[in-house]
């Protein structure tokens, strides 16, 4: 019944019966009539799987379907399919296809056991055929998250220049590709720990380690400063990775780390408290959130439940999502008496990535908490402004929509992070790491982030060591290993601390919050200028301006919406020329 070849049983000389129908339904006939019957009834609605064709069967294999009166004797047999894996009978073809897919996802077929080898950044990983279905596969892998993995790698490479070795944690290993890339390219500069709660994932990670010539260390790491076991034999693996089967919250509570990356399926709010508990001072935590439906205001009830924020759909919804994630991270850090310095915040189509540096102390925690503010948003013209501390809402929005339109036009959003989203010095060092490791795909994005952090138009980028030696973050000078001093030391200058803070506040101004879409605020009947030309016009008007990675048509500027529209209207050209307008007026006069 299941195979593509059906053997026909002869009944009389020259006559054959159908093997898939009972005798009372289809009587024995000649071969040409039987073949036409099989083609029109059985072969036309077959379900194909792994080279086999499951034809529809009319034999009494299933229980008799009762009639309307409830009598089984007068009922009829239901046409059905036979599963090739478990021999179950299913009536509908679509249900049979879904049933076979469940067998594949559970690994119960021969095809589901075949691995696919994928190479990214010089690292090979084995993937199951169902690696794109996170609900049904433990070893989930998303090819579209490659920019996220490269950004995380560059941020870890920057931290490896400051201290050596860096104890880093990939809290959600899955296939282990991120931790393997860290160990394979940064070598002895990092001590990688990959953890996952699934036994299938841990087994897959260990197999991928062997595939990349990386030794698996299943025991607990020795404390920092002591000499661990080392092999002096030639031909040993290029790196060592510790693979642990443990819940992410448990391992972050038990052990301290310098770098922690959180990338669960969905939101990461359930793991922030454990991440900030044992992270070392001036360490880095990177958080990847993939619950775009709640972040991008498609499910506001889920947003309020997970992030404690009230948001609506706006033209700047991606930056709104990034500031909402940073605000959640800042609150989690403040609960552990820690502050944060935002190094990077990226919101693309599939994810929101936030990279922060941890600053210990209640003073730093208070400074971060002061940057959590409500946002006033006009739902008519989409003007927005952060509320000042004190909850005074008298003259918040610069637009006059509330006076010219009936009803209330403004709404309070948040609380959100009101501070900067980028650190220029850190991004420049990330660009240098991307160039060093030949990450050509991510370099244009990092350059855009640098322009956005400075809020300037195109400017030359310096990749030399002189521009990357020292980095000022939150009043702290972090010296890299290139300065020649003892590795691993991070000093806070007591005497020059106030001077460095003043120098930073005077020299490195924070970029303006949010951006405006040039298409959203274009004037009807007018041809707006090209985006690069419009940036030049805003610069000539005395405003800080840059493009933004959040929106290809967005303009980040410190100008208000009214000033933005005035410059746009000044350099916009009417769609119809003067000649056509004259012809139109003449034709109107003739008509009158």
């Amino acid at each position: 019944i299941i195979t593509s070849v059906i053997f026909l049983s002869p009944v009389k000389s020259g006559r054959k019966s159908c093997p898939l129908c009972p005798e009372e339904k289809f009587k024995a006939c000649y071969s040409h009539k039987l073949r036409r019957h099989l083609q029109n009834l059985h072969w036309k609605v077959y379900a194909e799987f792994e080279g086999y064709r499951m034809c529809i069967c009319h034999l009494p294999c299933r229980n008799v379907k009762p009639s309307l009166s409830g009598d089984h004797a007068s009922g009829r047999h239901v046409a059905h399919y036979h599963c090739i894996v478990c021999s179950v009978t299913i009536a509908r073809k679509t249900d049979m296809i879904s049933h076979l897919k469940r067998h594949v996802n559970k690994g119960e077929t021969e095809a589901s056991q075949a691995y696919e080898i994928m190479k990214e950044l010089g690292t090979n990983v084995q993937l199951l055929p169902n690696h794109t279905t996170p609900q049904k596969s433990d070893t989930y892998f998303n090819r579209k998250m490659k920019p996220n993995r490269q950004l995380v790698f560059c941020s870890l490479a920057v931290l490896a220049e400051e201290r050596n070795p860096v104890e880093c944690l990939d809290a959600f290993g899955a296939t282990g590709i991120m931790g393997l890339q860290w160990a394979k390219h940064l070598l002895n500069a990092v001590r990688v720990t990959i953890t996952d709660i699934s036994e299938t994932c841990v087994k897959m990670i260990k197999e991928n380690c062997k595939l990349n010539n990386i030794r698996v260390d299943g025991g607990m790491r020795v404390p920092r400063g002591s000499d661990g076991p080392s092999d002096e034999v030639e031909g040993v693996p290029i790196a060592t990775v510790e693979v642990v089967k443990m819940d992410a919250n448990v391992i972050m509570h038990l052990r301290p780390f310098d770098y922690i990356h959180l990338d669960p399926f969905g939101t990461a709010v359930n793991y922030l408290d454990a991440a900030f508990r044992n992270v070392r001072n001036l360490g880095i935590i990177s958080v990847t959130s993939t619950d775009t439906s709640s972040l991008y205001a498609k499910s506001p009830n889920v947003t309020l439940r997970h992030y404690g924020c009230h948001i609506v759909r706006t033209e700047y919804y991606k930056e709104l999502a990034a500031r909402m994630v940073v605000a959640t991270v800042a609150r989690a850090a403040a609960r552990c008496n820690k502050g944060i310095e935002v190094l990077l915040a990226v919101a693309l189509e599939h994810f929101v990535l936030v990279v922060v540096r941890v600053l210990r102390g209640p003073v730093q925690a208070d400074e971060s908490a002061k940057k959590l503010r409500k946002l006033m948003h006009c739902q008519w013209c989409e003007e927005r402004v952060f509320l000042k501390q004190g909850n005074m809402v008298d003259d918040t929005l610069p637009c006059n929509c509330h006076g010219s339109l009936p009803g209330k036009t403004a709404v309070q959003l948040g609380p959100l992070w009101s501070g900067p989203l980028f650190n220029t010095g850190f991004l420049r060092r990330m660009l240098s790491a991307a160039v060093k490791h030949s990450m050509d795909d991510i370099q244009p994005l990092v350059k855009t982030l640098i322009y956005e952090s400075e809020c300037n138009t195109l400017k030359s980028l310096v990749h030399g060591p002189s521009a990357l030696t020292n980095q000022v973050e939150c009043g702290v000078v972090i010296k890299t290993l290139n300065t020649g001093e003892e590795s691993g030391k991070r000093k806070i200058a007591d005497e020059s601390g106030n001077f460095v803070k003043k120098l930073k506040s005077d020299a490195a101004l924070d970029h303006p919050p949010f951006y405006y879409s040039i298409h959203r605020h274009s004037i009807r009947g007018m041809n707006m200028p090209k985006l690069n030309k419009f940036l030049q016009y805003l610069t000539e008007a005395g405003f800080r301006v840059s493009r933004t990675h959040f929106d290809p048509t967005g303009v980040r500027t410190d100008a208000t919406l009214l000033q933005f529209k005035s410059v746009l209207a000044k350099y916009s050209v009417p769609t119809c020329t003067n000649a056509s307008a004259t012809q139109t007026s003449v034709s109107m006069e003739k008509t009158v």
Side-chain angles (χ1 to χ4, degrees):
I1 296 174
I2 299 174
T3 57
S4 59
V5 180
I6 299 179
F7 299 96
L8 306 178
S9 57
V11 178
K12 300 178 182 180
S13 58
R15 295 177 181 271
K16 300 177 182 179
S17 61
C18 178
L20 299 176
C21 294
E23 184 69 22
E24 59 273 11
K25 183 175 181 179
F26 186 83
K27 297 181 180 181
C29 60
Y30 292 103
S31 59
H32 67 279
K33 187 176 180 180
L34 178 59
R35 180 174 294 276
R36 187 166 57 248
H37 163 76
L38 292 173
Q39 290 177 349
N40 295 336
L41 180 62
H42 299 286
W43 294 347
K44 194 173 183 179
V45 288
Y46 67 86
E48 188 173 2
F49 177 71
E50 294 185 0
Y52 294 93
R53 294 182 178 182
M54 290 166 283
C55 299
I56 192 168
C57 175
H58 291 272
L59 294 175
C61 306
R62 292 167 60 93
N63 296 328
V64 179
K65 186 176 181 180
S67 60
L68 296 177
S69 61
D71 186 10
H72 287 267
S74 61
R76 62 183 180 86
H77 294 282
V78 180
H80 55 274
Y81 297 89
H82 291 263
C83 178
I84 192 175
V85 181
C86 61
S87 299
V88 71
T89 58
I90 298 177
R92 292 186 176 184
K93 180 180 178 180
T94 55
D95 296 340
M96 172 57 72
I97 295 175
S98 301
H99 175 77
L100 293 172
K101 288 182 178 180
R102 285 193 290 269
H103 282 303
V104 174
N105 294 333
K106 292 180 181 179
E108 298 174 351
T109 62
E110 296 181 359
S112 61
Q113 302 297 332
Y115 293 108
E116 175 188 355
I117 304 298
M118 196 278 306
K119 187 174 183 180
E120 180 180 299
L121 198 62
T123 305
N124 299 319
V125 290
Q126 295 179 352
L127 302 177
L128 290 174
N130 61 341
H131 65 271
T132 58
T133 55
Q135 295 88 351
K136 302 176 182 179
S137 173
D138 294 327
T139 58
Y140 175 63
F141 179 80
N142 190 359
R143 301 178 188 271
K144 295 181 180 180
M145 296 291 286
K146 182 179 178 181
N148 176 75
R149 289 187 286 269
Q150 292 185 348
L151 287 173
V152 172
F153 178 88
C154 292
S155 63
L156 177 60
V158 172
L159 184 63
E161 298 176 358
E162 303 172 5
R163 59 183 76 177
N164 193 357
V166 176
E167 295 189 12
C168 50
L169 171 67
D170 183 7
F172 300 90
T175 59
I177 182 171
M178 188 169 293
L180 295 179
Q181 289 177 351
W182 299 349
K184 193 168 186 178
H185 293 275
L186 299 179
L187 301 177
N188 296 329
V190 294
R191 304 176 67 179
V192 182
T193 301
I194 306 177
T195 181
D196 203 290
I197 198 173
S198 173
E199 184 68 32
T200 306
C201 290
V202 173
K203 181 180 178 181
M204 178 69 72
I205 294 171
K206 292 181 179 179
E207 293 178 357
N208 289 332
C209 288
K210 296 179 182 178
L211 192 63
N212 292 275
N213 194 23
I214 296 177
R215 185 165 63 91
V216 178
D217 184 9
M220 298 297 289
R221 288 287 173 83
V222 295
R224 175 185 284 182
S226 60
D227 297 331
S230 59
D231 296 327
E232 298 179 357
V233 183
E234 295 183 359
V236 296
I238 59 176
T240 302
V241 170
E242 180 184 2
V243 181
V244 181
K245 180 182 179 298
M246 191 179 297
D247 184 76
N249 283 325
V250 175
I251 192 172
M252 288 186 293
H253 274 287
L254 293 177
R255 294 171 49 184
F257 292 96
D258 298 300
Y259 189 98
I260 297 176
H261 176 61
L262 302 176
D263 186 10
F265 178 70
T267 181
V269 295
N270 299 326
Y271 306 94
L272 294 177
D273 291 335
F276 282 100
R277 178 180 175 85
N278 275 338
V279 64
R280 291 191 174 97
N281 189 28
L282 297 180
I284 292 179
I285 294 180
S286 59
V287 180
T288 300
S289 301
T290 55
D291 53 333
T292 54
S293 60
S294 58
L295 291 174
Y296 294 162
K298 295 180 181 179
S299 302
N301 56 331
V302 182
T303 305
L304 185 61
R305 185 169 66 247
H306 287 171
Y307 299 96
C309 297
H310 170 65
I311 60 174
V312 295
R313 185 77 172 190
T314 62
E315 64 169 329
Y316 52 94
Y317 66 95
K318 288 188 176 181
E319 183 171 352
L320 202 67
R323 292 186 178 276
M324 182 171 57
V325 174
V326 175
T328 307
V329 172
R331 285 195 297 267
R335 287 192 292 268
C336 299
N337 284 335
K338 295 182 177 69
I340 63 170
E341 170 75 6
V342 182
L343 306 176
L344 170 68
V346 174
L348 298 180
E349 182 181 0
H350 304 285
F351 66 91
V352 175
L353 173 64
V354 171
V355 181
V356 300
R357 188 182 291 276
V358 181
L359 307 173
R360 281 189 175 181
V363 177
Q364 302 290 351
D366 294 340
E367 291 295 328
S368 299
K370 291 179 182 178
K371 297 180 181 179
L372 303 181
R373 300 181 184 179
K374 290 277 189 175
L375 180 74
M376 288 296 295
H377 168 79
C378 180
Q379 293 183 309
W380 183 259
C381 67
E382 298 213 17
E383 177 64 292
R384 79 288 303 207
V385 65
F386 278 110
L387 292 179
K388 299 180 180 179
Q389 294 182 354
N391 297 326
M392 299 299 294
V393 294
D394 295 334
D395 51 350
T396 53
L397 287 174
C399 64
N400 58 350
C401 297
H402 61 281
S404 59
L405 296 173
K408 294 183 179 180
T409 60
V411 62
Q412 284 193 14
L413 307 180
L416 304 171
W417 175 262
S418 62
L421 295 178
F422 313 100
N423 185 282
T424 307
F426 192 85
L427 289 174
R428 287 181 177 273
R429 296 165 65 188
M430 283 184 60
L431 181 60
S432 177
V435 173
K436 177 181 179 181
H437 295 281
S438 302
M439 297 182 181
D440 299 333
D441 299 336
I442 208 65
Q443 293 180 23
L445 176 59
V446 179
K447 290 180 181 179
T448 304
L449 296 176
I450 295 176
Y451 300 146
E452 191 172 359
S453 64
E454 297 176 345
C455 199
N456 291 321
T457 52
L458 299 179
K459 182 183 291 186
S460 61
L461 298 178
V462 182
H463 305 298
S466 60
L468 306 174
T469 302
N470 294 336
Q471 177 187 0
V472 179
E473 295 178 11
C474 207
V476 179
V477 179
I478 301 177
K479 297 184 178 181
T480 64
L481 299 178
N482 298 330
T483 57
E485 295 188 0
E486 185 179 355
S487 62
K489 287 189 177 181
R490 300 168 299 277
K491 297 182 179 180
I492 301 177
D494 297 333
E495 298 179 357
S496 59
N498 297 329
F499 172 76
V500 172
K501 291 182 181 180
K502 184 177 183 301
L503 180 64
K504 181 191 175 187
S505 61
D506 293 341
L509 298 176
D510 294 340
H511 60 82
F514 300 113
Y515 56 90
Y516 301 105
S517 175
I518 188 173
H519 287 176
R520 167 67 176 80
H521 301 287
S522 61
I523 304 173
R524 178 176 296 182
M526 304 285 285
N527 285 334
M528 58 184 179
K530 298 293 184 180
L531 185 56
N532 292 333
K533 281 286 187 181
F534 182 66
L535 296 179
Q536 182 180 355
Y537 296 150
L538 284 174
T539 304
E540 293 174 355
F543 300 111
R544 298 178 61 194
V545 64
S546 71
R547 301 188 67 169
T548 175
H549 80 281
F550 292 111
D551 187 359
T553 64
V555 177
R556 184 179 297 276
T557 177
D558 56 351
T560 62
L561 182 59
L562 184 61
Q563 296 169 339
F564 182 88
K565 286 184 175 181
S566 64
V567 177
L568 184 61
K570 180 179 179 181
Y571 294 97
S572 296
V573 181
T575 54
C576 57
T577 59
N578 295 332
S580 61
T582 305
Q583 293 176 1
T584 304
S585 61
V586 171
S587 62
M588 289 294 292
E589 291 177 358
K590 289 182 179 180
T591 304
V592 173

